[in-house]
């Protein structure tokens, strides 16, 4: 659905980068295949031309699966088919029907990292079919994400991880709150804006903007909110600015598969205030590294904003170090692939 580095792929972009880094650090060799225009510093990258996919989250549950002509997805898998014998395993990061359908036609095993919850009947069906033919090959980020599918108990839960050396701990924040993510309806930015309007706080916003009309409509709805859109920044700049915020607000209206931004904030020592659902509810330690509040409740967000100072920023960084290091992620991914390969 986009080149790596564009932000259109959401958290998958950072996840892919981190998993590739983690595998390299464990001594493996990694080749990434991605749409043309991608950037991935320090990692060998094959760029493939072609037309992009429509994002699954903008489609209905029963919308038929489509591919544009000269689809980049098809071209990438054609490349993978040709070179497969040079590799031990292939990892699919695309939330798309085609790679699952193609799995039995490949000689090399394919591990599928599913990056979102259940959104489409056709996807659910092809993932379930793949799982029944190739047990153990479906990875997910959180238990809550897996629970949106009928086969939750047969999924491998991998969590996520970060290169913590890229995130600086910031002990003393400024006054602003943060919101980070794709500016899209399922991410619920309007709830965070309503909460800052009610608390007279400034909200700094970072993220890719796939649909500008949505951003304009929420700005019209909250004309008195103090919001500052800072654009989509590379990790180095994002973490420097995010670290200076008092807390991160995570307000998705869907079941967030994981929520990379929550662990990025913790890595900088920034407490996380999140709706108690999906991945963030499995990340935030309520009362210790942030506050989990009733989903879709702006009044609860407001009262949690009033309790930010009860959270010790050191505890946030410590949680990131203990649970979300690149090394811990690398161990989990390596074991997953070893189990698939039987080695
Ligand atoms: N992000 C970024 N720069 C920005 C804002 C966001 O690189 O200015 C990245 C962020 O690091 C995270 C991703 O965008 O990896 C958002 O991922 P998340 O898992 O929170 O949500 P998704 O978009 O996948 O639903």
């Amino acid at each position: 659905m986009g080149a790596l580095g564009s932000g259109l792929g959401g958290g998958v972009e950072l996840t892919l980068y981190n998993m590739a880094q983690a595998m390299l650090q464990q001594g493996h060799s990694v080749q990434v295949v991605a749409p043309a225009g991608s950037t991935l510093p320090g990692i060998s990258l094959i760029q493939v031309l072609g037309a992009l996919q429509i994002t699954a989250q903008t489609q209905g549950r029963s919308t038929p699966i489509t591919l544009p002509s000269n689809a980049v997805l098809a071209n990438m898998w054609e490349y993978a088919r040709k070179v497969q014998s040079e590799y031990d395993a292939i990892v699919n990061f695309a939330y798309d029907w085609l790679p699952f359908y193609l799995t039995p036609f490949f000689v090399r095993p394919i591990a599928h990292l599913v990056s979102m919850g259940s959104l489409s009947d056709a996807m659910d069906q092809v993932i379930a079919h793949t799982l029944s033919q190739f047990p153990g090959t479906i990875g997910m980020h959180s238990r809550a994400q897996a629970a949106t599918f009928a086969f939750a108990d047969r999924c491998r839960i991998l969590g996520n991880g970060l290169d913590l050396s890229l995130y600086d701990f910031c002990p003393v924040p400024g006054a602003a709150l943060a919101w980070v993510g794709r500016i899209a309806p399922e991410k619920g930015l309007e709830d965070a804006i309503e909460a800052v309007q009610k608390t007279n706080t400034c909200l700094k916003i970072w993220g890719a903007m796939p649909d500008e009309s949505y951003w304009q409509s929420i700005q019209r709805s909250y004309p008195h909110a103090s919001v500052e859109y800072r654009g989509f920044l590379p990790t180095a700049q994002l973490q420097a600015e995010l670290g200076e915020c008092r807390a991160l607000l995570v307000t998705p209206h869907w079941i967030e598969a994981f929520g990379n931004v929550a662990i990025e904030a913790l890595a900088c020592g920034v407490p996380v205030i999140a709706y108690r659902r999906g991945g963030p509810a499995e990340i935030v330690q309520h009362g210790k590294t942030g506050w989990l509040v009733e989903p879709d409740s702006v009044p609860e967000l407001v009262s949690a904003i009033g309790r930010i100072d009860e959270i010790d920023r050191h505890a946030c960084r410590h949680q990131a170090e203990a649970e979300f290091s690149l090394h811990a992620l690398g161990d989990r991914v390596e074991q997953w692939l070893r189990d698939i390969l039987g080695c």
Side-chain angles (χ1 to χ4, degrees):
M1 54 188 272
L4 296 173
S6 68
L8 296 173
V12 178
E13 296 186 23
L14 186 68
T15 300
L16 183 150
Y17 177 69
N18 288 338
M19 283 198 180
Q21 287 285 21
M23 289 298 97
L24 288 170
Q25 281 185 13
Q26 315 265 65
H28 301 284
S29 32
V30 174
Q31 174 68 65
V32 172
V33 183
S38 291
T39 53
L40 208 59
I43 294 174
S44 175
L45 182 64
I46 296 287
Q47 311 227 13
V48 177
L49 290 165
L52 301 173
Q53 289 297 110
I54 299 173
T55 59
Q57 64 269 34
T58 59
Q59 307 290 292
R61 276 211 77 83
S62 51
T63 307
I65 298 297
T66 56
L67 280 173
S69 65
N70 188 30
V72 71
L73 182 70
N75 296 346
M76 283 163 56
W77 283 89
E78 174 64 9
Y79 174 81
R81 188 184 65 77
K82 284 187 187 139
V83 299
Q84 59 181 316
S85 62
E86 297 167 30
Y87 300 90
D88 295 317
I90 302 168
V91 183
N92 168 41
F93 288 84
Y95 193 100
D96 280 288
W97 184 86
L98 185 67
F100 292 92
Y101 178 76
L102 289 175
T103 302
F105 300 99
F106 272 66
V107 176
R108 285 291 180 266
I110 302 176
H112 298 273
L113 182 65
V114 178
S115 57
M116 294 188 281
S118 167
L119 295 171
S120 129
D121 294 341
M123 279 295 290
D124 284 18
Q125 197 178 17
V126 79
I127 300 171
H129 188 61
T130 308
L131 188 57
S132 65
Q133 289 177 290
F134 303 98
T137 59
I138 305 298
M140 304 238 176
H141 289 292
S142 66
R143 293 188 305 280
Q145 176 201 3
T148 65
F149 296 92
F151 42 82
D153 53 341
R154 287 179 289 140
C155 299
R156 187 75 167 244
I157 308 299
L158 297 163
N160 223 335
L162 296 172
D163 181 350
L164 290 163
S165 69
L166 303 178
Y167 296 81
D168 301 318
F169 174 65
C170 175
V172 185
L177 297 173
W179 191 96
V180 188
R182 279 177 301 108
I183 299 176
E186 66 271 15
K187 296 297 209 168
L189 172 57
E190 59 270 37
D191 293 10
I193 293 183
E194 190 181 340
V196 296
Q197 183 172 276
K198 289 201 163 116
T199 51
N200 282 323
T201 330
C202 170
L203 184 68
K204 292 189 178 175
I205 300 163
W206 293 266
M209 200 183 289
D211 174 8
E212 210 176 314
S213 62
Y214 165 68
W215 166 243
Q216 277 156 2
S217 88
I218 54 178
Q219 276 190 305
R220 277 194 300 274
S221 306
Y222 302 100
H224 304 300
S226 165
V227 296
E228 191 183 331
Y229 176 56
R230 311 275 309 152
F232 179 80
L233 301 181
T235 299
Q237 283 160 266
L238 173 67
Q239 67 84 30
E241 298 192 12
L242 171 61
E244 290 175 2
C245 293
R246 281 187 67 216
L248 174 75
L249 304 182
V250 185
T251 51
H253 290 164
W254 70 348
I255 296 183
E256 188 81 43
F258 187 75
N260 279 346
V261 297
I263 62 173
E264 294 184 270
L266 294 176
C268 301
V270 176
V272 178
I273 297 172
Y275 287 151
R276 187 183 285 106
R277 82 167 146 226
E282 293 174 28
I283 297 170
V284 176
Q285 294 174 351
H286 182 66
K288 194 167 175 215
T289 59
W291 299 105
L292 291 169
V293 307
E294 180 63 25
D296 309 324
S297 167
V298 173
E300 285 218 13
L301 285 176
V302 168
S303 61
I305 290 169
R307 300 186 67 186
I308 293 169
D309 291 343
E310 293 175 39
I311 305 296
D312 175 4
R313 292 173 72 92
H314 291 94
C316 299
R317 174 75 191 189
H318 287 152
Q319 189 194 355
E321 285 170 358
E323 296 176 28
F324 306 114
S325 71
L326 205 56
H327 190 71
L329 174 69
D331 283 348
R332 291 192 296 272
V333 174
E334 187 181 83
Q335 198 50 55
W336 179 43
L337 297 179
R338 282 193 186 285
D339 289 349
I340 290 169
L341 294 167
C343 65

